[in-house]
Each structure stands twice: as C-alpha cells, then as structure tokens.
Amino acid sequence: MNEKIEQLKARFNEQLAAAEDSGAVEKLRVAFLGKKGEITDLLKGLKDVSGPEKKEMGQEINRLKSYADEALTQKAAEIKEKELAARVEAAESYDITLPSAVEEGSYHPITLVQREVEQIFASMGFTIEDYSEIVDDYHCFEALNIPKHHPARDMQDTYYLDNGQLLKTHTSAAQNAIMRKYGAPLRAIFPGRCFRNESTDACHENTFFQMEGIMIDKNISISNLIYFMKTMLSEVFKQDVKVRLRPGFFPFVEPGFELDISCLICGGEGCPTCKNSGWLELCPCGMIHPNVLRDGGIDSNEYTGFAFGLGLTRLAMMKYGIKDIRDLNSGSLKTLAQFKY
Ligand code: FA5
C-alpha cells in the first residue's frame, strides 16, 4: 500500500511538472484532490482497512494530500506570475501603424471660425486678448460712452447679478481694460461669449460669441477699417461675398456703421435665418469715440482708431451653412460632429 502511495506521489509530481498554465494546474487539482480525485479515493478506501495499519496509512495519505495541495498552490502562483509578466510584455510592444479604435472628437464650429479669424488678424499684427464674462457696469456701458439711463442700454437686455455685476452683453466691454493695459499704438482682437436676455429665433440666441477688434494709432481712418474688414471676410470665405455698409448708431463710435453680409443660406433671396431680408447683420464697426479713448487713457488729439464687433456665431453659420443658430448651443453631436478639423 505504501508503494501505491509512493507511485501516486511520483505520478502527481510528473504531471505537475508538465503543467504549463493555470488551467492545467486546476485540472490536476480536480484529478487528485477533487471529490472523485485519486488521493480522495485513497482516503475513502481506508474504511476497508483495519488494524494498526489503518492509522499509519491514514497519516501517509493525509501527508500526501497536504503535500499535493501545497505543491498545486505554489505552482498556480508561479504560473500566474509568469502569465502576468507575459501580458505586460505584450502590452508594451504595440504597432503604431495600426488604426486607432478610439473615436475622434471634433471642434465646435465656433471654435473653428474663431481660430481662423484669430490667425488672420494675428498675421496682421493684432494681439489676441481674453476677458472675463462677468463684468461691471462701468466696463460694459459707462466706459463706452453709455451713461446710466442712456436709451442705448435698451438695445442689450442685460442679465444683472445680485452683487451688481453683470454678464457681458458685448465684447466691447473689454475695450477700456485693454486700452489701459497697452496704451497706444494698439492692435488687438478679443473674442468672447456674450449674454443677452433675448427671445431666440433662427439668428438670435441668449448666449452667443462675438469678436471685438480695435486698432489705434496716428492717422487711422475709415479706409483702414474697410481694408481690414474686407481682408478678414475674403480670407474667411475664400470667395467674394456681397457686403453692405450702412450707418449705424453706437455711442462708443463716431461715425458708426453696420456691416451686413448677403445671406449665404438663401443667396440673398430671403429666409428665416436672415429674417427674409436677404442680409445678415454681421459686424458693426466705426471710429472709436474720443470719449472712449480718453477713458482708456489714450490722448484723443494724437490718436484715432477703429473698432468692430464681429458676430462670431453668425459668421460660423454663414461659413458652414448652419440655418438655425440654436443648433450651435444644442449640444447635439449629430449636428456638431460633422465639423472635423
Ligand atoms: C454690439 O454688440 C457692439 N458692441 C458692436 C460694435 C463694436 C459696434 C465696436 C461698433 C464698434 P450688436 O448688438 O449689433 O453690437 O452686436 C454685434 C453683432 O453680434 C451683431 O451684428 C450680430 O452678428 C451679433 N449678435 C448680436 N446679438 C446677437 C444674438 N442675440 N444672437 C447672435 N448674435 C448676435
């Protein structure tokens, strides 16, 4: 009987040495220690043995059982370690030419247009500035020659905060701070999100983007203004677009203009996007009012300048043929993911 145990141990050792993966080790455990395993069978067979031999055999079989159990556990741990090392090594060796399975995102159309306009103006020597979305009454209105109770305030239905500050209604709110920061001469653009309590339609949102631009130097005239506006539009659209300049009133410019673009959605025929007029107000502009220069710390006898307030959201609509402004803030990936950079 002892011989039988020795033989079983030898066979177990042999098979254990041959086991190469955790599956094989598990099979061995079942084959030797499972309910119907060989060692278990030996133990069960003890009931047929009697006398002092029974005790001795019982001890030997139990020793074999513990030995097999420990050996299997140790082998399983060794194999697990090896398998892990092999997995790490495989992960480190990758093929960079394989196509990526990760879906790419895309930029928002307004970001795309903003970057394009930024590049155009940067190439003409303009710096790009940032400004906060929460501003005070002075910067949004007073420093722009719009005193309290001025009717021009009615044109921008403003969101006021409890602390008296407000959500920027136009990017012009940064003019004063940027003039004070740099002084003259100065060329700067400053894009930003604007907020107005407006009822929305195909071309009006309560949250939209503008890009302000100012150029201040000696002898700046309306011709400079028209040149920069034309250059910007022809670079953005890469085609001739019909524009019209008509007088417009803004207290912070004198003279002031409305620059409209022939609606590219309907080709000027009239549609909901252009409120059936065939034209879209895109970029009001004008020569900076001397009061505004003075408030910005700039000598208005020595310097003149122009300013414009480009409707960046509307520019994106015209550029990409987006009929309804509300699609841009909708967060709908079906719409927005179409714009790949
Ligand atoms: C202004 O905001 C002036 N600050 C622009 C300016 C700057 C004039 C410098 C002169 C000199 P206006 O309110 O017209 O002007 O807005 C400018 C442009 O922003 C509009 O032509 C339009 O393109 C865009 N815009 C205005 N309101 C909305 C709105 N609710 N939704 C989408 N775009 C709008």
Side-chain angles (χ1 to χ4, degrees):
M1 191 64 181
N2 275 356
E3 206 178 310
K4 202 175 171 189
I5 293 174
E6 283 303 316
Q7 279 172 2
L8 186 57
K9 187 175 178 181
R11 201 149 36 80
F12 169 79
N13 281 337
E14 205 178 298
Q15 293 186 21
L16 187 67
E20 282 184 344
D21 54 43
S22 358
V25 174
E26 198 45 40
K27 267 188 196 159
L28 277 186
R29 184 180 289 280
V30 174
F32 285 88
L33 298 175
K35 259 189 192 167
K36 292 181 181 165
E38 292 193 54
I39 298 176
T40 319
D41 276 353
L42 272 187
L43 274 173
K44 281 182 193 161
L46 272 179
K47 67 178 187 316
D48 303 327
V49 184
S50 56
E53 212 185 326
K54 183 173 184 167
K55 187 180 172 196
E56 200 184 312
M57 261 181 61
Q59 284 173 343
E60 274 196 48
I61 298 171
N62 271 320
R63 265 201 295 277
L64 176 62
K65 190 180 168 202
S66 309
Y67 167 81
D69 189 35
E70 258 176 49
L72 284 164
T73 307
Q74 194 182 332
K75 180 86 179 188
E78 280 168 21
I79 287 180
K80 201 172 168 192
E81 207 167 298
K82 269 193 206 157
E83 286 173 346
L84 189 69
R87 277 220 301 275
V88 170
E89 201 172 310
E92 274 174 5
S93 54
Y94 52 86
D95 181 353
I96 54 164
T97 62
L98 284 177
S100 155
V102 181
E103 263 194 46
E104 266 181 35
S106 58
Y107 285 110
H108 194 281
I110 296 174
T111 307
L112 293 177
V113 173
Q114 178 180 323
R115 290 186 175 180
E116 203 173 338
V117 179
E118 279 176 1
Q119 262 174 15
I120 295 166
F121 278 99
S123 74
M124 297 191 288
F126 284 69
T127 65
I128 301 160
E129 295 293 315
D130 196 14
Y131 199 62
S132 47
E133 290 177 350
I134 295 176
V135 297
D136 56 23
D137 188 275
Y138 175 79
H139 286 92
C140 202
F141 299 121
E142 302 234 353
L144 291 166
N145 209 23
I146 313 176
K148 290 210 163 39
H149 313 301
H150 192 290
R153 290 196 179 208
D154 294 345
M155 294 189 316
Q156 302 185 357
D157 203 348
T158 310
Y159 291 108
Y160 286 93
L161 308 182
D162 288 345
N163 65 3
Q165 289 187 299
L166 50 102
L167 298 184
K168 180 166 76 181
T169 55
H170 54 172
T171 42
S172 304
Q175 280 194 17
N176 180 274
I178 288 167
M179 285 181 205
R180 292 213 162 259
K181 182 173 171 191
Y182 292 108
L186 169 61
R187 293 179 192 202
I189 52 167
F190 25 108
R193 202 193 310 259
C194 304
F195 309 85
R196 293 183 196 175
N197 184 20
E198 301 211 7
S199 21
T200 60
D201 59 28
C203 62
H204 288 86
E205 255 292 7
N206 49 32
T207 306
F208 56 96
F209 283 81
Q210 288 184 346
M211 183 183 284
E212 193 89 356
I214 47 178
M215 180 171 183
I216 301 168
D217 209 332
K218 290 177 180 162
N219 303 317
I220 295 293
S221 70
I222 296 174
S223 321
N224 299 107
L225 168 62
I226 293 173
Y227 168 80
F228 279 100
M229 293 298 95
K230 269 189 170 170
T231 308
M232 185 264 296
L233 290 173
S234 62
E235 295 262 334
V236 169
F237 289 105
K238 310 218 164 36
Q239 57 166 312
D240 264 351
V241 282
K242 238 163 88 184
V243 293
R244 72 176 185 192
L245 204 60
R246 58 194 168 91
F249 174 70
F250 302 92
F252 36 98
V253 284
E254 180 57 42
F257 306 99
E258 287 282 3
L259 188 147
D260 303 335
I261 179 172
S262 172
C263 179
L264 296 176
I265 303 288
C266 60
E269 295 283 308
C271 67
T273 311
C274 60
K275 286 199 187 152
N276 292 316
S277 71
W279 295 93
L280 204 67
E281 281 180 18
L282 184 68
C283 187
C285 49
M287 300 304 294
I288 302 175
H289 196 287
N291 289 352
V292 176
L293 287 174
R294 265 197 303 277
D295 279 354
I298 291 173
D299 184 349
S300 61
N301 294 318
E302 200 177 348
Y303 290 100
T304 50
F306 68 74
F308 62 85
L310 173 67
L312 209 52
T313 304
R314 287 195 188 160
L315 186 66
M317 292 169 72
M318 291 296 105
K319 171 138 175 128
Y320 293 114
I322 299 164
K323 291 188 186 136
D324 196 312
I325 196 169
R326 289 163 290 198
D327 286 339
L328 290 165
N329 281 357
S330 67
S332 150
L333 288 182
K334 205 171 152 204
T335 309
L336 301 176
Q338 294 171 33
F339 303 91
K340 295 275 179 204
Y341 194 37

